Amino acid sequence: MFDWEDLRHLIAVSRQGSTLAAAKTLGVNQSTVHRRLLELEKAIGLTLMKRHPSGYRLTELGEALIDHVLAVETAVHTLEQQIRALKHDLKGVVRLTCPEPTVPRIVATGLLDRFHERYPGLQVEFVTSDRYLDLSKGEADVAFRSGEPVDDTLVGRKICDSIWAIYASKSYVQQRGRPTSIADLADHALLGFDGIMENHRVAKWLPVAVPNARIVSRNNSMLGTLSAVKAGVGIAPLPTTLGDAEDVLIQVLPPVEELTRSWYLLTAPDLRRTPRVAAFVDQVLEDVPALQKALIG
Protein backbone atom coordinates (compact mmCIF):
# COMPACT_ATOMS: atom_id res chain seq x y z
CA MET A 1 0.00 0.00 0.00
CA PHE A 2 2.89 2.36 0.87
CA ASP A 3 6.45 2.05 2.08
CA TRP A 4 8.38 3.35 5.06
CA GLU A 5 10.35 5.88 3.00
CA ASP A 6 7.12 7.70 2.14
CA LEU A 7 6.25 7.91 5.84
CA ARG A 8 9.71 9.29 6.64
CA HIS A 9 9.10 12.15 4.25
CA LEU A 10 5.69 12.88 5.78
CA ILE A 11 7.22 12.98 9.28
CA ALA A 12 10.02 15.27 8.15
CA VAL A 13 7.63 17.79 6.56
CA SER A 14 5.32 17.75 9.59
CA ARG A 15 8.28 18.46 11.88
CA GLN A 16 10.08 21.01 9.74
CA GLY A 17 7.05 22.83 8.34
CA SER A 18 8.44 23.05 4.81
CA THR A 19 9.49 20.70 2.05
CA LEU A 20 12.80 22.53 1.66
CA ALA A 21 13.75 22.10 5.32
CA ALA A 22 12.57 18.49 5.21
CA ALA A 23 14.71 17.87 2.14
CA LYS A 24 17.80 19.16 3.97
CA THR A 25 17.03 16.97 6.98
CA LEU A 26 16.59 13.87 4.80
CA GLY A 27 19.51 14.63 2.50
CA VAL A 28 17.41 14.68 -0.67
CA ASN A 29 16.20 17.41 -3.01
CA GLN A 30 12.93 19.26 -2.59
CA SER A 31 11.30 17.67 -5.63
CA THR A 32 11.84 14.21 -4.09
CA VAL A 33 9.98 15.28 -0.97
CA HIS A 34 7.05 16.60 -3.06
CA ARG A 35 6.98 13.38 -5.09
CA ARG A 36 7.05 11.15 -2.00
CA LEU A 37 4.17 13.05 -0.37
CA LEU A 38 2.07 12.84 -3.50
CA GLU A 39 2.78 9.12 -3.87
CA LEU A 40 1.80 8.51 -0.24
CA GLU A 41 -1.43 10.49 -0.54
CA LYS A 42 -2.27 8.71 -3.80
CA ALA A 43 -1.56 5.30 -2.25
CA ILE A 44 -3.86 5.81 0.73
CA GLY A 45 -6.41 8.03 -0.99
CA LEU A 46 -6.21 10.83 1.60
CA THR A 47 -4.81 14.37 1.65
CA LEU A 48 -2.38 14.55 4.55
CA MET A 49 -0.63 17.91 4.10
CA LYS A 50 -1.87 21.34 3.09
CA ARG A 51 0.21 24.33 2.08
CA HIS A 52 -0.25 27.56 4.07
CA PRO A 53 1.50 30.94 3.77
CA SER A 54 3.72 30.00 6.70
CA GLY A 55 4.54 26.53 5.35
CA TYR A 56 3.06 23.03 5.28
CA ARG A 57 0.67 21.78 7.94
CA LEU A 58 -1.09 18.50 8.53
CA THR A 59 -4.72 18.32 7.48
CA GLU A 60 -7.28 17.05 9.97
CA LEU A 61 -6.86 13.60 8.45
CA GLY A 62 -3.10 13.96 8.76
CA GLU A 63 -3.43 14.97 12.41
CA ALA A 64 -5.59 11.89 13.03
CA LEU A 65 -2.92 9.61 11.57
CA ILE A 66 0.36 11.22 12.62
CA ASP A 67 0.61 9.50 16.03
CA HIS A 68 0.31 6.13 14.30
CA VAL A 69 2.95 7.17 11.76
CA LEU A 70 5.29 8.23 14.58
CA ALA A 71 4.70 4.87 16.26
CA VAL A 72 5.89 3.21 13.05
CA GLU A 73 9.02 5.41 13.13
CA THR A 74 9.74 4.33 16.71
CA ALA A 75 9.16 0.67 15.85
CA VAL A 76 11.46 0.85 12.82
CA HIS A 77 14.16 2.58 14.85
CA THR A 78 13.90 -0.01 17.61
CA LEU A 79 14.05 -2.82 15.05
CA GLU A 80 17.17 -1.34 13.48
CA GLN A 81 18.87 -1.11 16.87
CA GLN A 82 17.88 -4.65 17.82
CA ILE A 83 19.24 -5.93 14.53
CA ARG A 84 22.50 -4.09 15.14
CA ALA A 85 22.70 -5.48 18.67
CA LEU A 86 22.12 -9.02 17.45
CA LYS A 87 24.53 -8.57 14.57
CA HIS A 88 27.38 -7.39 16.76
CA ASP A 89 26.36 -9.27 19.93
CA LEU A 90 27.13 -6.09 21.83
CA LYS A 91 28.88 -6.58 25.14
CA GLY A 92 31.17 -4.39 27.16
CA VAL A 93 31.38 -1.04 28.91
CA VAL A 94 30.74 2.50 27.71
CA ARG A 95 32.65 5.00 29.86
CA LEU A 96 30.77 8.28 30.17
CA THR A 97 32.57 11.30 31.60
CA CYS A 98 30.67 14.26 33.02
CA PRO A 99 30.75 16.60 36.03
CA GLU A 100 29.73 14.76 39.20
CA PRO A 101 26.65 16.95 39.92
CA THR A 102 25.05 15.89 36.63
CA VAL A 103 25.14 12.16 37.39
CA PRO A 104 21.91 11.95 39.45
CA ARG A 105 20.11 14.12 36.91
CA ILE A 106 21.15 11.90 34.01
CA VAL A 107 20.14 8.78 35.95
CA ALA A 108 16.76 10.32 36.81
CA THR A 109 15.88 10.69 33.11
CA GLY A 110 15.66 6.91 32.72
CA LEU A 111 18.18 7.08 29.87
CA LEU A 112 20.40 4.39 31.35
CA ASP A 113 17.47 2.10 32.15
CA ARG A 114 16.22 2.32 28.56
CA PHE A 115 19.72 1.76 27.22
CA HIS A 116 20.35 -1.30 29.39
CA GLU A 117 16.95 -2.74 28.50
CA ARG A 118 17.73 -2.36 24.83
CA TYR A 119 21.35 -3.53 25.14
CA PRO A 120 21.57 -5.85 28.15
CA GLY A 121 25.15 -6.78 27.31
CA LEU A 122 26.37 -3.19 27.62
CA GLN A 123 26.97 -1.23 30.82
CA VAL A 124 27.53 2.49 31.28
CA GLU A 125 30.31 3.47 33.67
CA PHE A 126 30.48 7.06 34.91
CA VAL A 127 33.90 8.68 35.02
CA THR A 128 33.19 11.88 36.94
CA SER A 129 35.55 14.83 36.80
CA ASP A 130 35.48 18.63 36.77
CA ARG A 131 38.27 18.57 34.18
CA TYR A 132 37.99 17.54 30.55
CA LEU A 133 39.22 13.97 30.14
CA ASP A 134 41.12 13.14 26.96
CA LEU A 135 38.88 10.88 24.86
CA SER A 136 41.58 10.33 22.24
CA LYS A 137 43.82 8.84 24.94
CA GLY A 138 41.13 6.46 26.13
CA GLU A 139 40.32 8.21 29.41
CA ALA A 140 36.63 7.87 28.49
CA ASP A 141 34.46 6.95 25.50
CA VAL A 142 31.77 9.63 25.55
CA ALA A 143 31.57 13.04 27.25
CA PHE A 144 28.84 15.38 28.42
CA ARG A 145 30.57 18.75 28.50
CA SER A 146 29.56 22.31 29.25
CA GLY A 147 31.31 24.88 27.07
CA GLU A 148 32.28 25.18 23.45
CA PRO A 149 34.38 22.19 22.31
CA VAL A 150 38.07 23.04 22.36
CA ASP A 151 39.15 19.81 20.66
CA ASP A 152 38.18 19.99 17.00
CA THR A 153 38.98 16.30 16.54
CA LEU A 154 35.84 15.32 18.50
CA VAL A 155 32.39 14.84 16.98
CA GLY A 156 28.97 15.28 18.53
CA ARG A 157 26.10 17.70 18.92
CA LYS A 158 24.72 20.36 21.22
CA ILE A 159 22.16 19.14 23.77
CA CYS A 160 21.09 22.36 25.50
CA ASP A 161 22.38 25.51 27.23
CA SER A 162 24.07 25.64 30.63
CA ILE A 163 22.77 28.65 32.60
CA TRP A 164 24.51 30.16 35.65
CA ALA A 165 23.27 32.64 38.25
CA ILE A 166 24.56 34.04 41.57
CA TYR A 167 23.55 32.25 44.78
CA ALA A 168 23.79 32.70 48.53
CA SER A 169 22.33 30.78 51.43
CA LYS A 170 19.30 32.11 53.27
CA SER A 171 21.39 32.36 56.43
CA TYR A 172 24.03 34.43 54.62
CA VAL A 173 21.41 36.86 53.31
CA GLN A 174 19.83 37.20 56.77
CA GLN A 175 23.18 38.01 58.35
CA ARG A 176 24.95 40.03 55.65
CA GLY A 177 22.31 41.23 53.23
CA ARG A 178 21.71 40.63 49.55
CA PRO A 179 23.59 42.14 46.59
CA THR A 180 21.45 44.02 44.05
CA SER A 181 23.98 44.04 41.21
CA ILE A 182 27.22 42.43 40.08
CA ALA A 183 29.07 45.53 41.31
CA ASP A 184 27.61 44.96 44.79
CA LEU A 185 29.46 41.65 45.00
CA ALA A 186 32.62 43.59 45.90
CA ASP A 187 31.02 44.24 49.29
CA HIS A 188 30.37 40.55 50.00
CA ALA A 189 32.30 37.39 50.84
CA LEU A 190 32.85 35.49 47.61
CA LEU A 191 33.90 31.95 46.79
CA GLY A 192 36.67 31.39 44.27
CA PHE A 193 38.03 28.44 42.35
CA ASP A 194 41.36 26.66 42.50
CA GLY A 195 43.15 23.56 41.22
CA ILE A 196 41.52 21.98 38.18
CA MET A 197 38.80 24.64 38.34
CA GLU A 198 41.15 27.64 38.01
CA ASN A 199 40.77 27.72 34.21
CA HIS A 200 36.99 27.33 34.33
CA ARG A 201 35.09 30.19 32.68
CA VAL A 202 33.60 31.17 36.07
CA ALA A 203 37.06 31.47 37.60
CA LYS A 204 38.10 33.77 34.75
CA TRP A 205 34.87 35.79 34.83
CA LEU A 206 34.89 36.65 38.54
CA PRO A 207 38.06 38.84 38.73
CA VAL A 208 36.98 40.71 35.59
CA ALA A 209 33.40 41.28 36.72
CA VAL A 210 34.39 42.05 40.33
CA PRO A 211 37.95 43.46 40.28
CA ASN A 212 37.98 44.04 44.05
CA ALA A 213 36.48 40.68 44.90
CA ARG A 214 37.00 39.53 48.49
CA ILE A 215 37.61 35.80 48.14
CA VAL A 216 37.13 34.03 51.47
CA SER A 217 37.43 30.44 50.24
CA ARG A 218 38.50 28.55 47.12
CA ASN A 219 37.33 25.15 45.89
CA ASN A 220 38.59 22.78 43.22
CA SER A 221 35.19 21.18 42.52
CA MET A 222 31.67 22.35 41.81
CA LEU A 223 30.22 20.20 44.58
CA GLY A 224 32.71 21.73 47.01
CA THR A 225 31.58 25.21 45.96
CA LEU A 226 27.94 24.23 46.34
CA SER A 227 28.58 22.92 49.85
CA ALA A 228 30.36 26.12 50.84
CA VAL A 229 27.52 28.29 49.56
CA LYS A 230 24.97 26.17 51.43
CA ALA A 231 27.04 26.50 54.61
CA GLY A 232 26.86 30.30 54.33
CA VAL A 233 30.59 30.76 53.76
CA GLY A 234 29.99 33.14 50.87
CA ILE A 235 28.32 33.92 47.56
CA ALA A 236 29.18 32.19 44.27
CA PRO A 237 27.98 31.60 40.71
CA LEU A 238 26.35 28.18 40.29
CA PRO A 239 24.54 26.33 37.52
CA THR A 240 20.83 27.00 37.96
CA THR A 241 20.22 23.25 37.90
CA LEU A 242 22.19 23.01 41.15
CA GLY A 243 21.28 26.25 42.86
CA ASP A 244 17.55 26.18 42.20
CA ALA A 245 17.33 22.63 43.53
CA GLU A 246 18.55 23.60 47.00
CA ASP A 247 15.92 24.89 49.45
CA VAL A 248 18.55 26.64 51.57
CA LEU A 249 19.81 28.74 48.65
CA ILE A 250 18.52 31.97 47.13
CA GLN A 251 19.24 33.16 43.60
CA VAL A 252 20.41 36.62 44.66
CA LEU A 253 21.23 37.77 41.11
CA PRO A 254 19.69 36.54 37.84
CA PRO A 255 21.43 34.42 35.19
CA VAL A 256 24.69 35.92 33.97
CA GLU A 257 24.77 35.98 30.19
CA GLU A 258 28.58 35.83 30.04
CA LEU A 259 28.52 32.50 31.89
CA THR A 260 25.97 30.80 29.64
CA ARG A 261 27.47 27.95 27.66
CA SER A 262 26.14 24.87 25.90
CA TRP A 263 26.06 21.23 26.91
CA TYR A 264 27.56 18.95 24.26
CA LEU A 265 27.59 15.21 23.71
CA LEU A 266 31.05 14.38 22.32
CA THR A 267 33.13 11.41 21.31
CA ALA A 268 36.11 10.64 19.10
CA PRO A 269 35.38 9.75 15.43
CA ASP A 270 36.94 6.28 15.71
CA LEU A 271 34.92 5.58 18.87
CA ARG A 272 31.70 6.82 17.21
CA ARG A 273 32.09 4.05 14.66
CA THR A 274 32.37 1.28 17.26
CA PRO A 275 29.07 -0.57 17.82
CA ARG A 276 28.98 -0.10 21.61
CA VAL A 277 29.57 3.67 21.51
CA ALA A 278 27.31 4.11 18.49
CA ALA A 279 24.53 2.33 20.38
CA PHE A 280 24.88 4.64 23.37
CA VAL A 281 25.12 7.83 21.32
CA ASP A 282 22.02 6.84 19.34
CA GLN A 283 20.14 6.23 22.60
CA VAL A 284 21.18 9.65 23.92
CA LEU A 285 20.06 11.39 20.73
CA GLU A 286 16.72 9.64 21.01
CA ASP A 287 16.40 10.91 24.60
CA VAL A 288 17.48 14.52 23.98
CA PRO A 289 14.20 16.08 25.30
CA ALA A 290 14.58 14.25 28.63
CA LEU A 291 18.24 15.28 28.89
CA GLN A 292 17.40 18.89 28.12
CA LYS A 293 14.95 18.92 31.01
CA ALA A 294 17.51 17.32 33.31
CA LEU A 295 20.41 19.60 32.38
CA ILE A 296 18.47 22.85 32.18
CA GLY A 297 16.14 22.13 35.11
Side-chain angles (χ1 to χ4, degrees):
M1 188 177 183
F2 52 83
D3 67 31
W4 162 235
E5 285 300 312
D6 292 335
L7 297 180
R8 285 183 65 232
H9 286 70
L10 172 65
I11 292 170
V13 175
S14 70
R15 284 174 174 163
Q16 301 298 325
S18 77
T19 54
L20 180 59
K24 292 180 179 179
T25 299
L26 295 169
V28 299
N29 56 51
Q30 191 175 11
S31 61
T32 298
V33 176
H34 281 291
R35 177 174 57 81
R36 286 285 191 175
L37 287 178
L38 290 174
E39 288 178 354
L40 176 60
E41 290 179 338
K42 181 179 179 181
I44 66 176
L46 297 172
T47 300
L48 302 175
M49 301 292 299
K50 186 176 181 180
R51 188 169 187 173
H52 293 262
S54 59
Y56 281 82
R57 298 178 188 172
L58 290 168
T59 63
E60 289 186 5
L61 293 173
E63 291 283 1
L65 293 176
I66 193 63
D67 285 345
H68 300 288
V69 175
L70 294 175
V72 173
E73 178 189 45
T74 299
V76 169
H77 186 57
T78 300
L79 175 62
E80 290 173 342
Q81 291 181 318
Q82 291 293 341
I83 290 173
R84 183 165 56 196
L86 291 172
K87 182 178 179 180
H88 296 287
D89 190 23
L90 295 181
K91 294 180 180 178
V93 175
V94 177
R95 291 168 298 164
L96 172 63
T97 179
C98 60
E100 186 175 352
T102 65
V103 172
R105 289 181 169 273
I106 292 172
V107 172
T109 66
L111 164 67
L112 301 185
D113 292 334
R114 289 185 288 274
F115 178 69
H116 292 147
E117 181 178 358
R118 185 171 288 175
Y119 301 101
L122 290 176
Q123 294 296 316
V124 176
E125 178 183 289
F126 283 104
V127 186
T128 59
S129 176
D130 284 318
R131 73 176 181 89
Y132 288 173
L133 300 187
D134 193 331
L135 304 188
S136 64
K137 292 183 179 179
E139 293 183 337
D141 299 314
V142 182
F144 276 124
R145 287 182 181 170
S146 171
E148 296 303 313
V150 295
D151 187 345
D152 57 10
T153 66
L154 301 180
V155 297
R157 62 156 288 182
K158 174 182 174 180
I159 300 297
C160 61
D161 286 328
S162 173
I163 301 171
W164 290 59
I166 312 300
Y167 290 86
S169 69
K170 293 178 181 178
S171 61
Y172 179 96
V173 171
Q174 289 172 354
Q175 294 174 17
R176 308 181 192 181
R178 175 175 183 162
T180 58
S181 68
I182 295 295
D184 280 352
L185 292 177
D187 298 324
H188 288 268
L190 303 180
L191 302 178
F193 299 87
D194 206 351
I196 61 174
M197 293 291 293
E198 63 183 0
N199 290 319
H200 194 282
R201 65 181 180 277
V202 179
K204 295 179 179 179
W205 170 83
L206 188 57
V208 175
V210 191
N212 300 317
R214 180 165 60 90
I215 306 298
V216 298
S217 176
R218 296 182 185 273
N219 287 278
N220 62 7
S221 74
M222 194 50 58
L223 284 183
T225 303
L226 175 63
S227 296
V229 178
K230 290 171 63 177
V233 176
I235 296 175
L238 293 171
T240 55
T241 49
L242 291 183
D244 290 349
E246 299 291 342
D247 292 337
V248 299
L249 298 186
I250 300 173
Q251 189 181 114
V252 292
L253 292 175
V256 179
E257 185 176 353
E258 296 92 330
L259 296 181
T260 298
R261 293 294 187 273
S262 298
W263 280 104
Y264 284 88
L265 171 72
L266 299 168
T267 188
D270 56 336
L271 288 170
R272 181 67 174 91
R273 291 189 289 270
T274 62
R276 62 185 176 85
V277 173
F280 180 71
V281 170
D282 288 347
Q283 181 71 59
V284 172
L285 296 180
E286 185 178 313
D287 283 20
V288 163
L291 279 171
Q292 289 175 334
K293 185 176 180 180
L295 296 174
I296 297 175

